């Protein structure tokens, strides 16, 4: 199972607003600090915001989960995770059997597609319906 999420394309109004803000910020940095620090600011912003502006592809297979962020690619085996739960923007695959404060730090957050039903169904089949925890 595989799906792609591209937040910049999904929310064009926000993307335009963010683009204008970034452009204004870079102009301000250029007028204040000259070209070198403007290039550094552009590099830092590019690395920080690449998950918003570039598409992310999530793949579930028998081995585990692969997250392709175009710049970085991460693979996690299913043995690492014990349960999953929904958040406001997606799901978290947690290494813990019970809910705890470390879930968000040790778990892996996945953004959901517009129709999350097949993804949730896949995870319920993989972990079992009892592993689903929607506390957040």
């Amino acid at each position: 199972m595989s799906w792609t999420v591209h937040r910049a394309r999904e929310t064009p109004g926000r993307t335009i607003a963010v683009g204008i803000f970034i452009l204004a910020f870079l102009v301000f940095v250029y007028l204040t600090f000259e070209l070198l620090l403007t290039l550094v600011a552009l590099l830092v912003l590019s690395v920080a915001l690449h998950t918003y502006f570039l598409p992310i592809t999530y793949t579930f297979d028998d081995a585990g989960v692969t997250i392709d962020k175009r710049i970085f690619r991460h693979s996690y085996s299913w043995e690492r995770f014990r349960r999953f739960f929904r958040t406001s923007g997606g799901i978290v695959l947690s290494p813990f059997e019970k809910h705890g404060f470390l879930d968000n730090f040790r778990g892996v957050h996945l953004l959901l597609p517009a129709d999350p039903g097949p993804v949730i169904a896949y995870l319920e089949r993989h972990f079992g319906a009892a592993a689903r925890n929607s506390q957040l």
Side-chain angles (χ1 to χ4, degrees):
M1 163 174 261
S2 182
W3 74 95
T4 300
V5 176
H6 192 184
R7 293 295 188 211
R9 186 172 289 161
E10 293 170 4
T11 55
R14 181 183 293 172
T15 303
I16 291 170
V18 168
I20 291 170
F21 177 78
I22 290 171
L23 184 60
F25 177 74
L26 290 174
V27 168
F28 169 77
V29 171
Y30 177 74
L31 294 175
T32 306
F33 300 107
E34 299 297 327
L35 182 63
L36 181 61
L37 285 179
T38 304
L39 295 175
V40 170
L42 180 62
L43 177 67
V44 168
L45 286 171
S46 298
V47 170
L49 298 174
H50 81 279
T51 58
Y52 180 78
F53 286 106
L54 296 177
I56 303 170
T57 301
Y58 300 98
T59 305
F60 292 164
D61 57 21
D62 292 336
V65 180
T66 302
I67 304 170
D68 183 6
K69 297 183 178 181
R70 303 299 188 259
I71 295 176
F72 305 104
R73 183 183 179 106
H74 303 283
S75 293
Y76 304 97
S77 69
W78 285 119
E79 289 80 32
R80 175 182 174 146
F81 306 113
R82 303 286 177 256
R83 67 182 178 88
F84 72 98
F85 60 91
R86 297 243 357 216
T87 63
S88 61
I91 56 172
V92 173
L93 300 176
S94 175
F96 304 111
E97 290 182 9
K98 296 182 180 179
H99 175 69
F101 72 94
L102 289 177
D103 280 331
N104 291 326
F105 299 103
R106 299 284 308 273
V108 176
H109 188 264
L110 309 176
L111 299 173
L112 289 173
D115 179 21
V119 176
I120 300 297
Y122 183 94
L123 291 173
E124 285 178 345
R125 281 192 311 273
H126 182 78
F127 289 109
R132 182 179 184 192
N133 185 351
S134 57
Q135 291 180 350
L136 293 178

